[in-house]
Amino acid sequence: MPLNKLRNIGIAAHIDAGKTTVTERILYFTGVTRKLGEVHDGQATMDFMKQEQERGITIASAAITCQWAGHQINLIDTPGHVDFTVEVERSLRVLDGVVALFCAVSGVEPQSETVWNQADRYKVPRVAFVNKMDRTGADFYEVVNQMNNDLDAHALPFQLPIGAEDSFTGIIDVVAQKAYTFDGDQQREIEIPADMKAKAVEARASITEALADLDEEIMELFLEDKPISDELLKRVAREATIKLNITPVFCGAAYKNKGVHLILDAVVDYLPSPLDKGSVVGMDIDEPEKTRTRKPSIHEPFAAIAFKLIHDPYVGQQTFVRIYSGELKSGMAILNSTKGKSERIGRILRIHAKDREEITSAGPGEIVALIGMKNTKTGDTLCDPTHPLHLESIHIPPSVVELKIIPATRKDQSKLGEALAKLTNEDPSFKVRYDEETEETVIAGMGELHLEIIVDRLKHEFGLEVIVSEPSVAYRETITSEIENEHRYAKQSGGKGQFAQTYIRLEPNTGNGYEFVDRIKGGAIPAEFVTSVNKGILKTLDDGVLAGFPVVDVKVTLLDGQFHAVDSSDMAFQICASMCFKQAFMKGTPQLLEPVMKVEVNTPDEYIGDIVGNLNKRRGKIESMRRHRKGSQKLNGFVPLVEMFGYANTLRNLSSGRANYSMEFYQYMPVSKAVQEDVLKKLAEKKREEQNR
């Protein structure tokens, strides 16, 4: 398939906007499936995980290939639930274009904004599809207004609906000035209804006017009042979409098969091919300040990024990669430049949701799955060993909710470790650590649903029953003042002893993570033991000092120390450094940090007072309130995660079930002294209870 005939697109939106339904219609109309799969009866092709079918939601982004109008479309259906936002993140990193879905009734919802911002981060061109035009309360023009006001989307209607709600009967193509109606899965061209003609002409003039600012040829024709061809409008609109200057808006009702043919045409007409996206820019491995580019050509050195890992019970681990340049062949040796390790390509698969087709080679622009990769993880760059480079990785938000789990039977402990290792490989936002004191495994994720799915997968995929504690917040620890500390570690028990002495300075390093600086002079500590000091501190960071939570944002400077020619060892310096760090940490006015969530609530006007009052009680800070649509408001604010447990029920009661909310991680922030004392007191009580059992 020529590169200009290839489209790598994703479908992304707020939960329940109809992403999977649109995808199922696309698969049906492109001939990939012979019958329509529905989300509500658990038969959707793309929702093939058991957990997806039970809940009627998409959890894992699924990839599939289809053909339309002589073009190959690689399609990724992404989740809408905020707990699985990393799935959207890694898909957007490798996609060339996105169909952004909006519900015609709900309009721009909280997760719509999150997805839009993610697409902005990776500069992904978009077309918008206003779905569910047949639903009561559908308002196409209001959704377009919200896109412009809330998302700054430069949204332009390229289609107009004929009617709405029960009377939604067809769609007008604004550029071609044609109208279509739908009967079952058939699309029929009709005359534009007389009462819509003026509106259709006005909409075309709006597109022309917007594009005249971006193109001289259209500007001249526009000023001279000469006719502008459909082909010229489409070409310039395509360029403007690719440059993120406009967002063409389309409409339909996917469940009733209305508008799906036309959105497929829009993908071909307006979203970019790999050639349109152009060269990918990477970093030189030896000189990071230098850049390296790769054109989307089979004649360039090979470069790709791994964006997803799946454990398949039939073929083992599948590593999904997006190829940017060169040719990938089975059996060839490549370099994982992120890890600095070689990999050999085994089998190459083209994926059709849960089905797979084996191929011998793949070229630029393709999305394929590789079998047999040993060292490659999400975000790793794969490249030609003789032309190495490093591509921008994938933004992974921190995990904020924790659960303690133990296997129901002790003999399953090692089996649990293996299963969790596979799941952490698949999902970079899922973290695992082992609490040796309580002999419990602590799993951490993006939210309660995220961890619920993990526990469900342990049971059904790996045959493991686990005992689960209540969800808790993943706090962090840091310090607020600078301190210097010295520690001497000496042990003599017959034979060779243990000796190390370290002198460190510990200081806050807000927002910059952990940093280690070596200031040893005159060989007071040999270089190999300086490395041991860093290793010892790194091990301590994960286990925490104040209350067992990971330590973040600290800078450690090794100032001085002593060693013994016989008794000093790697282990002695690791132990000494760990003890020295812990002592310094407790002297440095330690502080807990808590995850704070960005919360958005959509509510009818009459409940706004009660909802604001309730959020204030939860230590929330209201940032803004604005009119969402007639009779309703959108409220934005920041609330500590610990205060948001059980909020769904509270909001339901406060608003008689009419308000909805969404939240996503914002940042870690210091807790007040009173809250810190309360948290530490509760943790101490919990620990005592566990010890008394």
Side-chain angles (χ1 to χ4, degrees), residues 46 48-49 52 58-63 76-79 84 86-91 93-94 305-311 317-322 351 353 367-370 373 376-380 382 394 396 424-428 457:
M46 299 296 266
F48 54 87
M49 283 171 65
E52 294 176 312
T58 301
I59 293 165
S61 50
I76 292 185
D77 174 33
T78 61
F84 308 104
V86 73
E87 288 286 341
V88 186
E89 192 80 43
R90 57 180 168 191
S91 299
R93 171 65 184 84
V94 299
I305 193 164
F307 69 96
K308 184 176 175 66
L309 273 70
I310 288 181
H311 176 71
Q317 184 175 287
Q318 293 181 3
T319 305
F320 281 76
V321 299
R322 157 72 197 258
I351 302 296
I367 291 174
V368 293
L370 307 178
M373 306 294 277
T376 301
K377 302 281 186 290
T378 296
D380 287 0
L382 303 173
I394 294 167
I396 307 295
T424 50
N425 270 350
E426 282 184 24
D427 183 352
R457 289 185 67 190

Side-chain angles (χ1 to χ4, degrees), residues 647-676:
Y647 184 65
N649 286 335
T650 303
L651 185 64
R652 203 175 295 125
N653 294 334
L654 287 174
S655 67
S656 304
R658 292 173 63 199
N660 64 67
Y661 85 104
S662 172
M663 65 177 182
E664 62 177 308
F665 174 74
Y666 174 59
Q667 67 182 49
Y668 270 93
M669 296 176 80
V671 302
S672 67
K673 198 173 179 186
V675 171
Q676 179 162 317

Side-chain angles (χ1 to χ4, degrees), residues 450-469:
H450 186 193
L451 295 181
E452 183 190 316
I453 298 293
I454 293 283
V455 170
D456 205 41
R457 289 185 67 190
L458 286 173
K459 182 177 179 179
H460 291 102
E461 281 179 42
F462 299 96
L464 282 164
E465 291 286 349
V466 291
I467 300 161
V468 182
S469 69

Side-chain angles (χ1 to χ4, degrees), residues 88-202:
V88 186
E89 192 80 43
R90 57 180 168 191
S91 299
L92 287 171
R93 171 65 184 84
V94 299
L95 291 172
D96 297 331
V98 161
V99 177
L101 244 65
F102 298 90
C103 172
V105 182
S106 306
V108 174
E109 296 181 89
Q111 191 65 11
S112 314
E113 293 196 37
T114 303
V115 169
W116 198 268
N117 293 337
Q118 287 172 308
D120 279 342
R121 181 183 292 136
Y122 296 114
K123 296 182 171 54
V124 184
R126 277 143 272 179
V127 297
F129 182 67
V130 180
N131 192 25
K132 304 189 180 183
M133 280 302 304
D134 57 333
R135 290 264 303 274
T136 304
D139 188 339
F140 175 78
Y141 303 100
E142 174 62 23
V143 177
V144 174
N145 286 337
Q146 287 179 24
M147 286 177 67
N148 284 323
N149 295 335
D150 298 353
L151 305 176
D152 197 22
H154 308 293
L156 288 172
F158 273 52
Q159 289 178 349
L160 299 178
I162 302 172
E165 303 179 341
D166 290 345
S167 60
F168 175 60
T169 54
I171 292 167
I172 295 169
D173 180 336
V174 171
V175 173
Q177 292 288 293
K178 292 177 180 174
Y180 300 92
T181 58
F182 305 90
D183 181 17
D185 56 8
Q186 297 301 309
Q187 175 179 299
R188 192 161 51 87
E189 189 179 324
I190 60 163
E191 282 290 313
I192 295 175
D195 62 339
M196 293 287 293
K197 272 186 178 169
K199 208 164 195 174
V201 170
E202 187 188 325

Side-chain angles (χ1 to χ4, degrees), residues 317 319 334 343-346 370-376 382:
Q317 184 175 287
T319 305
I334 57 169
E343 292 270 26
R344 187 163 291 280
I345 301 301
L370 307 178
I371 308 296
M373 306 294 277
K374 290 185 170 64
N375 303 305
T376 301
L382 303 173

Side-chain angles (χ1 to χ4, degrees), residues 27-72:
L27 299 184
Y28 178 69
F29 289 124
T30 56
V32 174
T33 55
R34 298 239 166 85
K35 76 177 186 69
L36 289 168
E38 305 296 359
V39 175
H40 59 79
D41 59 16
Q43 296 300 309
T45 307
M46 299 296 266
D47 285 351
F48 54 87
M49 283 171 65
K50 176 182 180 294
Q51 292 79 12
E52 294 176 312
Q53 292 166 356
E54 286 175 352
R55 290 167 177 79
I57 60 168
T58 301
I59 293 165
S61 50
I64 204 158
T65 300
C66 56
Q67 309 285 328
W68 183 258
H71 290 68
Q72 178 180 315

Side-chain angles (χ1 to χ4, degrees), residues 551-573:
V551 174
V552 295
D553 294 349
V554 290
K555 181 178 178 181
V556 177
T557 306
L558 181 59
L559 300 169
D560 201 358
Q562 285 184 30
F563 78 104
H564 188 279
V566 177
D567 290 349
S568 288
S569 65
D570 169 54
M571 187 52 68
F573 269 97

Side-chain angles (χ1 to χ4, degrees), residues 453-496:
I453 298 293
I454 293 283
V455 170
D456 205 41
R457 289 185 67 190
L458 286 173
K459 182 177 179 179
H460 291 102
E461 281 179 42
F462 299 96
L464 282 164
E465 291 286 349
V466 291
I467 300 161
V468 182
S469 69
E470 287 293 308
S472 61
V473 169
Y475 290 97
R476 297 286 184 268
E477 301 177 8
T478 193
I479 53 161
T480 54
S481 58
E482 186 179 312
I483 198 80
E484 291 186 5
N485 190 59
E486 187 171 22
H487 184 72
R488 181 186 179 93
Y489 175 68
K491 217 170 184 185
Q492 201 71 46
S493 55
K496 189 184 172 196

